[in-house]
Amino acid sequence: MIEIQHLSKSFGNLEVLKDVSLTINKGEVVTIIGSSGSGKSTLLRCINLLEHPTGGTILFEGQDIVNSKIKIEDIRKNACMVFQHFNLFANMTVLENMTYAPRVVNKLSKVEATEKAMKLLAKVNLSDKANEYPSRLSGGQKQRVAIARALCMEPKVLLLDEPTSALDPEMVKEVLDVIKQLANTGITMVLVTHEMGFAKDVSDTVYFMDGGYLIESGTPEEVFNHPKTERARKFLASILV
Amino acid sequence: MLDFSVLEPYFPLLASAVWITLKFTFFSTIMGFLGGFVLALITLSKSKLLSFLAKVYISVFRGTPLLVQLMLIYFATPQLTGYTISALEAGVLSFGLNSAAYISEALRGGILAVDKGQWEGAMSLGVPKHRFLLDIILPQAIKNALPSLVNESIMLLKDSSLVSVIGVADTLRWADLIQAKTFRAFEAFIVAAAVYYVLVMALNFLGSLLEKKVRVSD
């Protein structure tokens, strides 16, 4: 569904992505791991063009989204992102956060959008928070709302950028549980994470990045238990899996 | 001795004078806000030329006295265009243009203070920029800038007294006329001062109500 070919991205003189190629199939749960600064998040952000690649192509369902004239909004609505810092709209309630984009972008009526939002809110166990403002929620609750908000758009792929990195330890599990539930529904998902145990558990494919290069890929079993590169072996040895 | 009773016959006139002061403040605030919002967006836009022009505009209107701008617009417009501009038009125009410069700076600060994540959150869902600027960024920017915005409308209210110079029958002009007729300078001007003070306090009160309202999301 998504084919990334020879992707590169530089910020000024700093080259953060170097010749990255990978394919994401429909329904696949993909995890990208690697140390901080290895380019994981940038790669993810390139998929919905929050960063514009400097070279290479990304084919989204066969369409080149990097060098084409497709409206950027039409790409992003199909590849919604969940952020490390939630990025819920501070001036809107939980329900408004969830119905806003479906109404503005997908032209849903208020009733339709609300109905869909309430269903998803129930799935993340936050029905009682519909009319609260984000400032009243805990980190874990915010992230669950953010995930539900992205799902309201019915994106073709869900991008999650370190969704648990900013959470207090006791809130990590509630968010991971939601993501795990999602992974089992057949949704296409790309996840950047430092939660190795979780990555091992939910992924179909794991990619390991280092210094802007994609240096290792395979099933969780292959990457975690039989890494081919020295760099990956070192990285995995230095963390608890 | 002080004798406020001499002012009594002139109180109906005072009412219409206060009304004029309020009208001035109202229209120039509206104009200042609209202009200020547009200017703020332009200064933050990617177009170097537009942003440069906006910065020149802001620098000129902040760098010259309001009274000079008022007189320039009132007296020079007929000379340059042949159009006889009314004192009310000249007043609203110069105050509006002037406050737009100040308000744009306050709003620009307010917009810059909105967390970058709010932009990215909206972008990542495919919301077009013109929509999320209005629905997400602007409301938060106004909230951030509210104290300066309230301050700006208080300044406008007080500065509206400058229009008395071009002969508009506002509150200050009323006091000036009364003291000429009755030779009671203190009584006339102290009443004008009191009127301004009460109006400013009322604005202040409205401002604090507004502040409470926008803080519900905190």
Side-chain angles (χ1 to χ4, degrees), chain A residues 45 76 88 90-91 100 135, chain B residues 117-118 120 123 126 135 217-218:
Chain A
R45 290 164 62 87
R76 287 176 177 158
L88 295 177
N91 60 322
Y100 177 66
S135 55
Chain B
Q118 299 286 310
E120 290 197 341
M123 284 193 284
D135 298 333
S217 62
D218 283 355

Side-chain angles (χ1 to χ4, degrees), chain A residues 163-179:
Chain A
T164 57
S165 298
L167 297 178
D168 292 337
E170 73 265 30
M171 290 170 182
V172 170
K173 191 175 175 300
E174 64 185 60
V175 171
L176 291 184
D177 283 346
V178 166
I179 299 173

Side-chain angles (χ1 to χ4, degrees), chain B residues 36 39-40 43-44 55 58 103-113 141 145:
Chain B
L39 271 176
T43 50
L44 292 172
K55 276 180 188 147
I58 292 168
I103 287 174
S104 78
E105 286 293 273
L107 276 178
R108 192 173 67 95
I111 291 173
L112 287 176

Side-chain angles (χ1 to χ4, degrees), chain A residues 45 48 50 73 76-77 79-81 83 87-92 100-101 104-105 133 135-136 149-150 153, chain B residues 115-118 120-129 131-133 135-137 139-140 143 216-218:
Chain A
R45 290 164 62 87
N48 77 348
L50 277 181
E73 286 84 11
R76 287 176 177 158
K77 71 178 184 191
C80 295
M81 174 101 94
F83 299 86
N87 296 353
L88 295 177
F89 307 133
N91 60 322
M92 295 183 179
Y100 177 66
V104 171
V105 182
Y133 283 94
S135 55
R136 296 286 201 80
R149 177 177 76 172
M153 290 298 287
Chain B
D115 179 26
K116 200 89 187 87
Q118 299 286 310
E120 290 197 341
M123 284 193 284
S124 76
L125 296 169
V127 181
K129 193 169 178 187
R131 281 304 303 262
F132 71 73
L133 270 181
D135 298 333
I136 293 160
I137 308 302
Q140 297 184 49
K143 179 174 157 183
V216 291
S217 62
D218 283 355

Side-chain angles (χ1 to χ4, degrees), chain B residues 7 173-186 188-189:
Chain B
L7 301 181
R173 181 79 176 162
W174 171 86
D176 200 20
L177 284 174
I178 303 318
Q179 70 110 10
K181 282 196 179 156
T182 63
F183 304 108
R184 292 281 179 176
F186 180 79
F189 287 116

Side-chain angles (χ1 to χ4, degrees), chain A residues 2 9 44 58 72 77 92 155 188-189 199 222-223 227 233 237 241:
Chain A
I2 301 172
K9 169 74 188 175
L44 196 69
I58 300 175
I72 203 163
K77 71 178 184 191
M92 295 183 179
T188 314
M189 194 155 88
E222 287 165 353
V223 173
R233 256 195 297 275
V241 178

Side-chain angles (χ1 to χ4, degrees), chain B residues 147 150-151 153-154 157 197-211:
Chain B
V150 170
N151 203 32
S153 37
I154 287 173
L157 174 64
Y197 185 72
V198 168
L199 292 180
V200 167
M201 286 305 111
L203 255 184
N204 233 341
F205 178 68
L206 283 180
S208 59
L209 282 188
L210 208 59
E211 191 127 343

Side-chain angles (χ1 to χ4, degrees), chain B residues 55-182:
Chain B
K55 276 180 188 147
V56 170
Y57 174 95
I58 292 168
S59 132
V60 167
F61 274 89
R62 295 212 302 177
T64 55
L66 180 52
L67 189 53
V68 176
Q69 294 163 20
L70 176 65
M71 292 193 147
L72 204 56
I73 288 176
Y74 183 55
F75 294 115
T77 302
Q79 181 201 331
L80 293 179
T81 65
Y83 173 70
T84 318
I85 192 166
S86 75
L88 187 90
E89 288 165 348
V92 168
L93 193 61
S94 54
F95 288 6
L97 293 175
N98 181 277
S99 71
Y102 285 92
I103 287 174
S104 78
E105 286 293 273
L107 276 178
R108 192 173 67 95
I111 291 173
L112 287 176
V114 175
D115 179 26
K116 200 89 187 87
Q118 299 286 310
W119 298 67
E120 290 197 341
M123 284 193 284
S124 76
L125 296 169
V127 181
K129 193 169 178 187
H130 68 273
R131 281 304 303 262
F132 71 73
L133 270 181
L134 277 177
D135 298 333
I136 293 160
I137 308 302
L138 187 65
Q140 297 184 49
I142 288 179
K143 179 174 157 183
N144 294 337
L146 198 61
S148 340
L149 294 176
V150 170
N151 203 32
E152 180 58 26
S153 37
I154 287 173
M155 294 298 286
L156 269 171
L157 174 64
K158 292 193 293 179
D159 285 345
S160 74
S161 61
L162 289 173
V163 293
S164 63
V165 172
I166 57 171
V168 177
D170 78 327
T171 309
L172 179 60
R173 181 79 176 162
W174 171 86
D176 200 20
L177 284 174
I178 303 318
Q179 70 110 10
K181 282 196 179 156
T182 63

